[in-house]
Amino acid sequence: MAMEAQHEQQLLLLQQQLKDAEENYGDTEPRAVEAYRVAYAKTVGIGSRLDLILTLLRTGIVYKDRDLVKKQLFLAKQEMEKGGDWERRNKLKVIEALDFILSRNFTEASKLLLEVLATFPSCGIISFETFVFYAALLALLCCDRQTLKEQVVFSPTIAEGADSDMKGLLDSFYNAKYREFMQYLVPVAKRVKRDLYLSPHYLFFIRSIRLKAYE
């Protein structure tokens, strides 16, 4: 227990150092990654090791370092097989969903986001509102109507976290009010265009969502 407490203190210290470095020096990815790798090699407890991996994954997502994310996802899944609590498992799903978004694999991203929709494990990268926006938008794009109805349209989480434009988009799509759907699509599309992770796929999204509306 004493050793685990010591590793936990080291993790907190490294996280604080990374935060300070980012605030004072800007781009710190190489230093941060090296610091966490050293800590990972010295850490014994599964929970602490997973926390270090999740931090490296967050770093990789923020800097859009796909190689780093790929390697850490592999390590994370290995550690999860040894034992990992549901909160860390769900955080991993959100981070992996973000990686799928970056690679335009919206179907897999949607599956992962819907799996954790009811719990929203904060991963330290996106807010609850952004999480709900992604979950609703990708479900609209990728899911069939039955899944959309059961998991999204009447979801308490969507009702709590989605803004009026997204709620209107979902409702108008589900009820086949296509004139209203196109009206709500305008502000939603503007948000996609401004979004850090969705904006590279803006034109693809516009084409795909319009086609989905007329299927």
Side-chain angles (χ1 to χ4, degrees), residues 20 41 46 50 59 90 93 98 114 142 178 189-190 207:
D20 292 342
I46 293 175
L50 282 169
T59 302
N90 288 347
K93 288 180 181 181
L98 291 175
L114 290 182
C142 302
Y178 296 120
K190 288 180 179 178
R207 289 195 298 267

Side-chain angles (χ1 to χ4, degrees), residues 14-36 55-56 59-60 62-63 65 68:
L14 283 167
Q15 289 173 332
Q16 185 59 50
Q17 289 174 341
L18 175 58
K19 181 180 178 181
D20 292 342
E22 287 175 338
E23 291 175 351
N24 294 308
Y25 302 108
D27 188 349
T28 63
E29 183 193 6
R31 282 178 288 175
V33 170
E34 183 58 30
Y36 277 102
T55 300
L56 281 172
T59 302
V62 168
Y63 288 99
D65 186 335
L68 175 62

Side-chain angles (χ1 to χ4, degrees), residues 60-180:
I61 291 293
V62 168
Y63 288 99
K64 299 183 180 179
D65 186 335
R66 302 296 308 287
D67 289 337
L68 175 62
V69 171
K70 182 179 179 180
K71 291 175 183 177
Q72 297 307 313
L73 281 173
F74 178 77
L75 284 176
K77 291 176 181 180
Q78 282 188 322
E79 293 293 338
M80 286 295 181
E81 290 178 359
K82 302 173 186 176
D85 59 68
W86 68 268
E87 184 176 2
R88 290 185 176 96
R89 288 179 184 274
N90 288 347
K91 285 181 179 180
L92 181 62
K93 288 180 181 181
V94 175
I95 292 173
E96 188 172 13
L98 291 175
D99 184 53
F100 278 132
I101 288 173
L102 288 173
S103 62
R104 198 179 287 180
N105 190 341
F106 294 149
T107 299
E108 292 302 317
S110 179
K111 289 178 183 177
L112 290 172
L113 292 175
L114 290 182
E115 285 179 13
V116 298
L117 183 60
T119 58
F120 177 59
S122 176
C123 64
I125 302 176
I126 57 175
S127 66
F128 171 67
E129 289 75 16
T130 300
F131 165 77
V132 169
F133 180 76
Y134 288 173
L137 184 68
L138 296 186
L140 183 60
L141 187 63
C142 302
C143 294
D144 57 60
R145 293 180 65 85
Q146 188 63 29
T147 302
L148 197 66
K149 174 185 176 182
E150 294 174 353
Q151 299 189 37
V152 181
V153 174
F154 298 110
S155 163
T157 305
I158 298 296
E160 178 185 355
D163 62 18
S164 58
D165 292 324
M166 178 54 71
K167 289 176 182 176
L169 192 71
L170 288 169
D171 180 74
S172 58
F173 176 84
Y174 182 72
N175 291 296
K177 300 176 182 178
Y178 296 120
R179 183 185 296 273
E180 291 183 17

